[in-house]
mmCIF file of all heavy atoms in Angstrom:
data_model
loop_
_atom_site.group_PDB
_atom_site.id
_atom_site.type_symbol
_atom_site.label_atom_id
_atom_site.label_comp_id
_atom_site.label_asym_id
_atom_site.label_seq_id
_atom_site.Cartn_x
_atom_site.Cartn_y
_atom_site.Cartn_z
ATOM 1 N N PHE A 609 125.885 68.637 77.533
ATOM 2 C CA PHE A 609 125.665 67.870 76.308
ATOM 3 C C PHE A 609 126.785 68.106 75.293
ATOM 4 O O PHE A 609 127.139 67.205 74.525
ATOM 5 C CB PHE A 609 124.309 68.219 75.696
ATOM 6 C CG PHE A 609 123.163 67.516 76.348
ATOM 7 C CD1 PHE A 609 122.176 68.220 77.025
ATOM 8 C CD2 PHE A 609 123.068 66.129 76.297
ATOM 9 C CE1 PHE A 609 121.125 67.567 77.634
ATOM 10 C CE2 PHE A 609 122.009 65.467 76.902
ATOM 11 C CZ PHE A 609 121.031 66.182 77.574
ATOM 12 N N THR A 610 127.339 69.298 75.311
ATOM 13 C CA THR A 610 128.491 69.558 74.435
ATOM 14 C C THR A 610 129.675 68.681 74.837
ATOM 15 O O THR A 610 130.370 68.116 73.991
ATOM 16 C CB THR A 610 128.888 71.042 74.502
ATOM 17 O OG1 THR A 610 127.782 71.849 74.114
ATOM 18 C CG2 THR A 610 130.064 71.331 73.580
ATOM 19 N N SER A 611 129.906 68.570 76.153
ATOM 20 C CA SER A 611 130.996 67.721 76.648
ATOM 21 C C SER A 611 130.742 66.261 76.329
ATOM 22 O O SER A 611 131.657 65.505 75.977
ATOM 23 C CB SER A 611 131.159 67.903 78.157
ATOM 24 O OG SER A 611 131.472 69.237 78.473
ATOM 25 N N ILE A 612 129.488 65.832 76.460
ATOM 26 C CA ILE A 612 129.129 64.450 76.146
ATOM 27 C C ILE A 612 129.419 64.141 74.677
ATOM 28 O O ILE A 612 129.971 63.089 74.328
ATOM 29 C CB ILE A 612 127.643 64.194 76.472
ATOM 30 C CG1 ILE A 612 127.411 64.237 77.983
ATOM 31 C CG2 ILE A 612 127.182 62.853 75.905
ATOM 32 C CD1 ILE A 612 125.954 64.264 78.364
ATOM 33 N N ALA A 613 129.050 65.088 73.816
ATOM 34 C CA ALA A 613 129.292 64.890 72.387
ATOM 35 C C ALA A 613 130.786 64.826 72.086
ATOM 36 O O ALA A 613 131.230 64.032 71.244
ATOM 37 C CB ALA A 613 128.647 66.017 71.592
ATOM 38 N N ALA A 614 131.561 65.661 72.794
ATOM 39 C CA ALA A 614 133.002 65.676 72.556
ATOM 40 C C ALA A 614 133.650 64.375 73.015
ATOM 41 O O ALA A 614 134.589 63.869 72.370
ATOM 42 C CB ALA A 614 133.636 66.864 73.271
ATOM 43 N N GLN A 615 133.154 63.808 74.144
ATOM 44 C CA GLN A 615 133.734 62.570 74.672
ATOM 45 C C GLN A 615 133.146 61.322 74.021
ATOM 46 O O GLN A 615 133.671 60.227 74.197
ATOM 47 C CB GLN A 615 133.512 62.497 76.190
ATOM 48 C CG GLN A 615 134.211 63.597 76.969
ATOM 49 C CD GLN A 615 133.909 63.517 78.448
ATOM 50 O OE1 GLN A 615 133.548 62.453 78.957
ATOM 51 N NE2 GLN A 615 134.073 64.634 79.144
ATOM 52 N N ASN A 616 132.024 61.501 73.300
ATOM 53 C CA ASN A 616 131.345 60.379 72.658
ATOM 54 C C ASN A 616 131.003 59.285 73.673
ATOM 55 O O ASN A 616 131.178 58.097 73.424
ATOM 56 C CB ASN A 616 132.210 59.805 71.528
ATOM 57 C CG ASN A 616 131.407 58.927 70.579
ATOM 58 O OD1 ASN A 616 130.182 59.079 70.475
ATOM 59 N ND2 ASN A 616 132.079 58.007 69.899
ATOM 60 N N ASN A 617 130.501 59.744 74.836
ATOM 61 C CA ASN A 617 130.172 58.813 75.912
ATOM 62 C C ASN A 617 128.879 59.273 76.563
ATOM 63 O O ASN A 617 128.803 60.392 77.088
ATOM 64 C CB ASN A 617 131.311 58.782 76.934
ATOM 65 C CG ASN A 617 131.104 57.684 77.966
ATOM 66 O OD1 ASN A 617 130.018 57.154 78.125
ATOM 67 N ND2 ASN A 617 132.173 57.346 78.679
ATOM 68 N N THR A 618 127.860 58.440 76.528
ATOM 69 C CA THR A 618 126.546 58.826 77.067
ATOM 70 C C THR A 618 126.195 58.080 78.345
ATOM 71 O O THR A 618 125.025 58.015 78.722
ATOM 72 C CB THR A 618 125.450 58.561 76.019
ATOM 73 O OG1 THR A 618 125.463 57.171 75.680
ATOM 74 C CG2 THR A 618 125.656 59.397 74.774
ATOM 75 N N SER A 619 127.176 57.548 79.039
ATOM 76 C CA SER A 619 126.891 56.813 80.274
ATOM 77 C C SER A 619 126.410 57.774 81.358
ATOM 78 O O SER A 619 126.725 58.975 81.341
ATOM 79 C CB SER A 619 128.139 56.066 80.755
ATOM 80 O OG SER A 619 129.127 56.990 81.164
ATOM 81 N N LEU A 620 125.653 57.231 82.315
ATOM 82 C CA LEU A 620 125.104 58.057 83.393
ATOM 83 C C LEU A 620 126.201 58.701 84.219
ATOM 84 O O LEU A 620 126.045 59.834 84.703
ATOM 85 C CB LEU A 620 124.202 57.189 84.281
ATOM 86 C CG LEU A 620 123.417 57.929 85.365
ATOM 87 C CD1 LEU A 620 122.483 58.953 84.733
ATOM 88 C CD2 LEU A 620 122.635 56.954 86.227
ATOM 89 N N ALA A 621 127.313 58.027 84.386
ATOM 90 C CA ALA A 621 128.418 58.579 85.170
ATOM 91 C C ALA A 621 128.976 59.844 84.545
ATOM 92 O O ALA A 621 129.464 60.735 85.239
ATOM 93 C CB ALA A 621 129.524 57.536 85.316
ATOM 94 N N VAL A 622 128.891 59.953 83.235
ATOM 95 C CA VAL A 622 129.375 61.143 82.541
ATOM 96 C C VAL A 622 128.324 62.240 82.537
ATOM 97 O O VAL A 622 128.616 63.423 82.706
ATOM 98 C CB VAL A 622 129.778 60.779 81.093
ATOM 99 C CG1 VAL A 622 130.173 62.027 80.311
ATOM 100 C CG2 VAL A 622 130.936 59.791 81.109
ATOM 101 N N VAL A 623 127.049 61.848 82.357
ATOM 102 C CA VAL A 623 125.973 62.833 82.221
ATOM 103 C C VAL A 623 125.565 63.448 83.558
ATOM 104 O O VAL A 623 125.350 64.659 83.663
ATOM 105 C CB VAL A 623 124.741 62.173 81.558
ATOM 106 C CG1 VAL A 623 123.578 63.149 81.497
ATOM 107 C CG2 VAL A 623 125.102 61.671 80.179
ATOM 108 N N ALA A 624 125.472 62.617 84.600
ATOM 109 C CA ALA A 624 124.877 63.057 85.864
ATOM 110 C C ALA A 624 125.563 64.255 86.514
ATOM 111 O O ALA A 624 124.880 65.199 86.926
ATOM 112 C CB ALA A 624 124.834 61.879 86.838
ATOM 113 N N PRO A 625 126.895 64.287 86.653
ATOM 114 C CA PRO A 625 127.506 65.424 87.360
ATOM 115 C C PRO A 625 127.212 66.775 86.715
ATOM 116 O O PRO A 625 126.865 67.734 87.406
ATOM 117 C CB PRO A 625 128.999 65.090 87.313
ATOM 118 C CG PRO A 625 129.061 63.627 87.145
ATOM 119 C CD PRO A 625 127.896 63.267 86.294
ATOM 120 N N GLY A 626 127.321 66.839 85.392
ATOM 121 C CA GLY A 626 127.074 68.111 84.717
ATOM 122 C C GLY A 626 125.643 68.580 84.860
ATOM 123 O O GLY A 626 125.377 69.765 85.078
#
Side-chain angles (χ1 to χ4, degrees):
F609 280 116
T610 302
S611 299
I612 292 169
Q615 297 177 23
N616 197 24
N617 188 343
T618 59
S619 67
L620 187 61
V622 175
V623 176

